[in-house]
Amino acid sequence: MDVLRSLLTGGVHAHTPGPDDDFWYGPAGVLTPAGMRVDEKGARKLSAWYRGRDLISTALAMLPLQVFERLPEDQGATVARAHPLYDVLHRKPNPWQNSFEWRRQATGHLIDHGNAYSRIVEGARGFADQLHPITPTLVRPEQVTSGRVVYHIRDARTHETRTWTQDDIFHLRAASDDGIVGKGVLQWARESLGTALATESYASRIFGRGTLHGGVIAVPGTLNEEASKRMAKSFVTAAGDWHLPKVLEQGATFTANDLTPEDFQMILSRKFSITDIARWLGLPPHMLGDLERSTNNNIEHQGKEFVTYNLGPWLSLWEFACHDPLILNTARFCVEFNRNALVSGDLATRWQAHQIAIQTGTFTRNEVRRIENRNKLPGLDEPLNPAHLTGKSPAAGSPPLKRAAPPDRDEDDDEDAEQARAVMVGAAARLLRKEIKAVRAAAVKCAADADQFAAVVTQFY
């Protein structure tokens, strides 16, 4: 029975689970070729995996999830705070969790299991008054002949199974082979994580048990049984004391065993595990503490790639999932994350780009407001003419201005003109630097309130 128990539990359970134990309904934790059983809890013992999984989940949860109402005649969108779903998604999805906690938990389920489920509960705020999270291992989705999906959900306390329709379950589905059940990153990365766990275990045994100082004791003569036991016992030390010196008797000498190249390679492979985990999760290695190939320049670039290529798909997955069972009138309402919360540190650059786009006539001021999810304002639909910067604009149909031929000048006049031009260019450069510095300072100060920033910039100019 001990052997059978070990095979079934991987050494995790100290007793054989009963027939109604959750062990039989939970993930078995596939035994990898490295000899390690990897499930979602075991994987989190790896610091790189824990950090990467938490980084994605927390970054998504920190973004405000809002309901927007599309305005008529393509006038943009406004935050629909009066919509009953707004409070559910943005603030309180259920009595014991806030929106941040609920979304962080669900995203973690997506990474581990490929699926995140919440039961839609009717109440005072409408048909979706609450969203109750469900452990993915308790759910078995099934597509019926009509093409719709039903969910067989087992109660962890009563062990009874109840069937719900897709109208009753909010389902976040990761990449899927059949379009019904998603597959998590953990399911694909088990072998890599198993190797990493085996490496961590091996390194712990080497350093914890003093394997680095193993060796051979050579004695000139022959020891009797009592002396042999006494000398062997002298080398048995408490955990962490293996490095202390030993006293040998009867002319004995100790020859230490050097760490083999294979042992060194095994320890160094722990570093490779960080890169491998970063690759599985789609994260820049420096976010998991690997700064070997990072510089100040490429870290900034990799941070932008994280927002676009790693976090962006997770955000879109959430937004599309919310539109199906939760938003009934998708032509009028939509659910979006406010991505500006992630780039608030780069707000000055974004507003500087808006300013250039407006001044060159590329965007109208209302188009920029629409990009920032702001309402349209009257009189801001026409593109600005770049000539407005000079205070003059050429009359319609007027011929192009011709430059008058310069009068004859001597060398002194040319030198004076060159000096005057240098003074003007220097003054303009100083003015431009002051302008950029002031706008950036205002952007940092008003990072949490775009309307206040717009007012400050308008007053400045």
Side-chain angles (χ1 to χ4, degrees):
M1 287 298 295
D2 290 339
V3 176
L4 179 60
R5 184 185 303 121
S6 178
L7 290 175
L8 289 175
T9 65
V12 176
H13 291 260
H15 63 280
T16 303
D20 60 348
D21 193 286
D22 276 349
F23 165 76
W24 301 108
Y25 300 92
V30 177
L31 190 66
T32 65
M36 305 297 293
R37 194 173 299 277
V38 180
D39 59 11
E40 67 274 13
K41 292 183 180 179
R44 269 176 263 173
K45 294 179 182 179
L46 292 169
S47 61
W49 176 265
Y50 178 92
R51 173 57 181 157
R53 178 185 181 277
D54 183 69
L55 184 65
I56 296 173
S57 304
T58 304
L60 183 143
M62 67 179 281
L63 297 179
L65 183 58
Q66 299 172 318
V67 180
F68 288 90
E69 181 181 4
R70 297 184 176 94
L71 301 179
E73 300 180 1
D74 194 26
Q75 295 184 357
T78 183
V79 178
R81 290 183 173 85
H83 194 285
L85 192 63
Y86 182 90
D87 193 54
V88 177
L89 295 177
H90 184 70
R91 190 186 67 85
K92 198 73 174 173
N94 55 63
W96 66 92
Q97 286 180 307
N98 56 44
S99 179
F100 179 93
E101 294 169 335
W102 174 69
R103 285 185 280 128
R104 180 170 59 179
Q105 179 189 23
T107 306
H109 286 169
L110 275 173
I111 296 173
D112 290 341
H113 304 280
N115 301 277
Y117 305 96
S118 291
R119 187 165 66 88
I120 303 173
V121 180
E122 185 178 357
R125 293 181 291 189
F127 78 96
D129 179 65
Q130 297 180 25
L131 295 169
H132 293 186
I134 307 170
T135 303
T137 53
L138 302 177
V139 184
R140 182 172 61 86
E142 179 187 4
Q143 188 176 31
V144 296
T145 54
S146 64
R148 291 171 62 82
V149 179
V150 296
Y151 298 87
H152 307 288
I153 302 177
R154 186 180 66 86
D155 191 304
R157 291 172 294 182
T158 65
H159 309 296
E160 296 179 355
T161 299
R162 183 176 176 181
T163 300
W164 303 83
T165 69
Q166 67 182 45
D167 298 323
D168 302 314
I169 302 298
F170 174 62
H171 184 188
L172 291 162
R173 184 186 299 110
S176 172
D177 292 333
D178 59 4
I180 307 300
V181 182
K183 295 193 72 172
V185 181
L186 176 61
Q187 294 174 273
W188 295 107
R190 286 191 194 276
E191 290 193 14
S192 296
L193 296 178
T195 302
L197 284 169
T199 304
E200 289 285 335
S201 177
Y202 180 81
S204 297
R205 288 196 301 270
I206 287 179
F207 290 107
R209 299 180 182 178
T211 308
L212 291 174
H213 282 192
V216 177
I217 301 174
V219 183
T222 302
L223 292 177
N224 57 34
E225 184 177 356
E226 182 181 354
S228 297
K229 290 181 179 180
R230 187 171 62 252
M231 188 171 295
K233 186 177 180 180
S234 69
F235 273 80
V236 178
T237 57
D241 292 341
W242 52 265
H243 62 284
L244 297 177
K246 308 297 185 294
V247 178
L248 302 180
E249 51 183 299
Q250 299 185 12
T253 59
F254 175 74
T255 304
N257 288 338
D258 293 332
L259 197 65
T260 66
E262 290 77 12
D263 292 332
F264 275 117
Q265 188 66 32
M266 179 64 72
I267 294 174
L268 291 175
S269 66
R270 300 172 66 200
K271 188 175 184 180
F272 171 75
S273 297
I274 299 177
T275 304
D276 202 34
I277 290 173
R279 188 182 298 115
W280 277 113
L281 292 174
L283 294 172
H286 78 269
M287 288 189 169
L288 301 184
D290 183 3
L291 302 177
E292 182 177 0
R293 299 183 180 179
S294 299
T295 64
N296 291 335
N297 293 331
N298 66 13
I299 280 182
E300 180 180 0
H301 181 69
Q302 289 173 359
K304 295 178 181 178
E305 286 186 344
F306 165 72
V307 176
T308 303
Y309 299 114
N310 178 274
L311 198 59
W314 294 109
L315 299 178
S316 296
L317 185 153
W318 270 85
E319 291 168 347
F320 278 98
C322 289
H323 288 164
D324 188 14
L326 300 180
I327 298 293
L328 302 180
N329 187 0
T330 54
R332 181 180 176 186
F333 296 98
C334 63
V335 175
E336 289 183 6
F337 283 96
N338 186 351
R339 290 163 168 81
N340 293 340
L342 276 179
V343 295
S344 58
D346 202 28
L347 188 63
T349 302
R350 191 173 81 248
W351 278 97
Q352 187 177 10
H354 288 336
Q355 178 187 348
I356 295 174
I358 291 173
Q359 291 180 347
T360 58
T362 306
F363 286 170
T364 67
R365 285 164 287 183
N366 269 336
E367 286 174 335
V368 170
R369 291 183 64 83
R370 189 176 305 137
I371 293 174
E372 296 294 328
N373 288 324
R374 298 294 169 182
N375 297 337
K376 293 179 63 175
L377 294 178
L380 302 183
D381 286 322
E382 295 297 325
L384 296 181
N385 190 327
H388 82 284
L389 298 176
T390 64
K392 299 179 181 179
S393 58
S398 59
L401 298 177
K402 295 183 179 180
R403 181 176 295 178
D408 294 336
R409 293 178 299 182
D410 55 25
E411 294 181 0
D412 291 339
D413 292 336
D414 291 339
E415 183 177 353
D416 292 341
E418 190 66 28
Q419 291 178 354
R421 186 179 297 108
V423 172
M424 293 173 62
V425 170
R430 289 192 298 272
L431 182 62
L432 183 59
R433 286 195 296 269
K434 289 182 178 180
E435 177 182 347
I436 293 174
K437 183 177 180 181
V439 173
R440 285 181 173 174
V444 173
K445 183 179 180 180
C446 307
D449 191 340
D451 288 335
Q452 182 185 2
F453 175 76
V456 171
V457 170
T458 300
Q459 182 180 6
F460 173 80
Y461 283 106

